[in-house]
Amino acid sequence: MASPEVGRDKSPFMLQPKSLPSPVSKSSKTSSFNAQIILRVFAAAFTLAAICIMTTSSQSFPLLGFTIKAHYSDSSAMRFLLVTDATVCAFSVLSVLFVYRLSRSGSDLKYCFYLFLHDMVIMGLATSGCSAATAVGYIGRYGEEKMGWMAVCNHVRKFCNQMTISMVLSYLAFCSYFALSVMSGNKVMYQYESP
C-alpha cells in the first residue's frame, strides 16, 4: 500500500510568493533624491546652528567671592558634542554633493550601499554626541543627590537654556539622519531585489 505524498508546494491552500516587478517612475526617483538632499541640508543647518549657539553661549556668576564663568569648553561631553556636530555638518555637506552626483549619473548598487553605510555611521556618531551631552546636561540641570552633585543651572539659567536649544538642534540632525538611514536602506534593498 503506497502512502500518498503531499508536497508543500502542491497544496492548494499555500500561498506562493511571486516577485512582482515594481516599476519606479523617473519622478519617484527624482523625489527620492530631492528628499535625501533636503534632509542632508537640514542636518547640516541644524548642526551648524547648534555649533553657533554652543560656542557663543557663556554666563558668569559670583560664588564665594569669585566670579565663575560657565562655557561649553568646561565640559568634555559638550566639547565632544561640538566635535560630533562639526563632523556631522561637514559630512552632510559632502554627502549632498555625492547624492547630487549620484542622481545625475544613475544609482549604482555599490554607491547606494556606501551611502547607506555613511548614513549609519553619521547617525551613530550623532547619537553618541547627543547622549553624552544629555547625560551631563541632566546632571547640570537636576543634580544627583546620591552622588553629592549639585545642580548648577539655577545659577546659570541662560547658559543652560542655550545649551538645551543646542542639544535639541543636534537631536533634530540625528532625526534627519535616522530618516536618511531608512531611506538609504530601502533604496539598497530595492536595488538589490530589482533585476
Side-chain angles (χ1 to χ4, degrees):
M1 170 167 25
S3 64
E5 291 185 21
V6 179
R8 286 188 178 186
D9 56 338
K10 296 181 182 178
S11 174
F13 300 108
M14 295 296 293
L15 294 175
Q16 298 298 322
K18 292 186 179 180
S19 176
L20 296 175
S22 54
V24 178
S25 65
K26 188 172 182 175
S27 64
S28 175
K29 285 183 180 182
T30 304
S31 63
S32 172
F33 280 118
N34 288 341
Q36 285 215 10
I37 288 173
I38 288 170
L39 283 171
R40 291 173 198 286
V41 168
F42 278 166
F46 289 144
T47 51
L48 186 62
I51 290 169
C52 291
I53 291 172
M54 188 184 306
T55 55
T56 58
S57 65
S58 64
Q59 186 176 357
S60 301
F61 67 98
L63 182 68
L64 301 174
F66 296 102
T67 301
I68 298 176
K69 185 175 182 180
H71 197 257
Y72 83 93
S73 60
D74 298 334
S75 168
S76 60
M78 295 301 172
R79 288 193 309 266
F80 179 62
L81 179 62
L82 180 77
V83 170
T84 58
D85 279 347
T87 305
V88 169
C89 184
F91 277 96
S92 295
V93 171
L94 290 175
S95 68
V96 165
L97 300 174
F98 181 74
V99 169
Y100 181 75
R101 182 178 175 271
L102 194 62
S103 70
R104 293 290 180 198
S105 64
S107 55
D108 184 18
L109 178 61
K110 179 174 70 171
Y111 296 127
C112 291
F113 182 70
Y114 291 153
L115 193 63
F116 173 67
L117 284 180
H118 166 269
D119 293 343
M120 291 297 290
V121 168
I122 295 298
M123 185 182 73
L125 185 66
T127 304
S128 64
C130 290
S131 300
T134 301
V136 170
Y138 180 86
I139 292 171
R141 188 167 293 274
Y142 302 107
E144 184 62 53
E145 289 183 23
K146 291 181 182 177
M147 299 294 289
W149 297 337
M150 298 184 326
V152 295
C153 282
N154 52 356
H155 299 294
V156 285
R157 285 191 200 283
K158 179 185 161 200
F159 172 74
C160 285
N161 290 338
Q162 289 176 330
M163 295 308 290
T164 301
I165 292 169
S166 179
M167 283 191 281
V168 167
L169 290 169
S170 298
Y171 272 109
L172 288 174
F174 159 75
C175 291
S176 296
Y177 264 96
F178 179 76
L180 283 166
S181 297
V182 171
M183 288 173 66
S184 297
N186 188 29
K187 189 166 185 66
V188 167
M189 187 173 68
Y190 171 74
Q191 289 278 347
Y192 181 73
E193 288 177 352
S194 63

